[in-house]
Amino acid sequence: MRIRAEISSDKDRIHCIYGSAFSTEERELVANLAVNLLLEETKPKTLSFVAETEYRITGHIAFSPITLNDNNYKGYILAPLAVVPTHQKQGIGSQLVQHGIQQLSQVGIDILLVYGDPKYYSRFGFSEETAKNYIPPYKLQYPFGWQGLMLSDRPPAKSPVQITCVPALHDPALW
Ligand SMILES: CC(C)(COP(=O)(O)OP(=O)(O)OC[C@H]1O[C@@H](n2cnc3c(N)ncnc32)[C@H](O)[C@@H]1OP(=O)(O)O)[C@@H](O)C(=O)NCCC(=O)NCCS
């Protein structure tokens, strides 16, 4: 398995990954998010990676920048992530998350946020405590899923900081 940056010709295959990994209710929403992130130009850049197993794309992850109303912090959000069911539980998801963490750490990002299952993300060090002062753009359906991981040696914000996401994530249905 190798991890590489996503290219535009991966678009259809990435759409299929989300189609196979997510439930019927969620798949279209999340697949469209993955593709829209690929099409959007952001500053700083959205990072998107695919896992390739024997030349077949088996996993995908994206990290998009967030704007914080406390400009001292540089942040990203991890979303979405999926691995095709036939290749789950082989460490692909973990390697995609760790690859992104490594890349973002190298460019001086302070905080990485995620909205997902704490049972999965806690293994990488994400916690609800770290995210508690970073206010998401919409009211969360599952507040316990909002987690953060500090990538620099700075402490998390001590008072509430409003975050703004890239347009693709500005959809209340995703929160
Ligand atoms: C979540 C997902 C990306 C993990 O990918 P993966 O390649 O199977 O992950 P890894 O092999 O690195 O890790 C597998 C471990 O994660 C666990 N895991 C997977 N999904 C989990 C979840 N939602 N909650 C808790 N644990 C989960 C597995 O049980 C396994 O545990 P183990 O190490 O104790 O055996 C993949 O299962 C997936 O695509 N799921 C559907 C889409 C999804 O839910 N994406 C968003 C994640 S919140």
Side-chain angles (χ1 to χ4, degrees):
M1 196 277 286
R2 72 165 184 141
I3 294 175
R4 62 163 172 82
E6 175 190 84
I7 52 174
S8 54
S9 57
D10 296 329
K11 188 163 62 89
D12 292 344
R13 180 64 197 147
I14 287 169
H15 197 278
C16 287
I17 291 179
Y18 289 92
S20 66
F22 275 85
S23 65
T24 322
E25 304 83 60
E26 292 177 308
R27 61 180 49 146
E28 205 50 32
L29 183 70
V30 192
N32 287 342
L33 168 64
V35 172
N36 291 341
L37 283 172
L38 173 63
L39 301 174
E40 250 174 43
E41 285 216 7
T42 63
K43 214 170 163 197
K45 266 170 56 170
T46 292
L47 305 183
S48 231
F49 303 103
V50 294
E52 257 184 357
T53 312
E54 289 162 6
Y55 302 106
R56 185 176 158 225
I57 297 176
T58 48
H60 173 259
I61 194 166
F63 301 86
S64 56
I66 51 175
T67 311
L68 305 165
N69 71 353
D70 168 353
N71 277 331
N72 286 322
Y73 281 86
K74 291 186 193 140
Y76 267 72
I77 185 161
L78 184 174
L81 163 67
V83 172
V84 286
T86 50
H87 286 70
Q88 288 178 3
K89 294 201 174 200
Q90 296 173 24
I92 295 176
S94 297
Q95 287 181 64
L96 283 166
V97 174
Q98 270 149 0
H99 184 78
I101 288 174
Q102 193 186 18
Q103 301 278 313
L104 293 169
S105 304
Q106 278 170 9
V107 294
I109 301 306
D110 296 300
I111 182 158
L112 178 60
L113 292 158
V114 71
Y115 182 41
D117 194 331
K119 287 197 220 98
Y120 186 66
Y121 289 105
S122 58
R123 70 186 63 205
F124 308 105
F126 286 93
S127 76
E128 211 181 327
E129 178 65 22
T130 299
K132 74 172 187 214
N133 278 328
Y134 294 88
I135 315 300
Y138 295 101
K139 190 168 163 36
L140 301 175
Q141 202 179 351
Y142 307 105
F144 58 85
W146 186 236
Q147 301 147 79
L149 173 69
M150 295 314 292
L151 302 184
S152 68
D153 51 15
R154 301 181 64 185
K158 291 193 173 54
S159 49
V161 176
Q162 181 64 51
I163 73 158
T164 308
C165 298
V166 297
L169 273 166
H170 256 285
D171 178 351
L174 290 164
W175 301 86

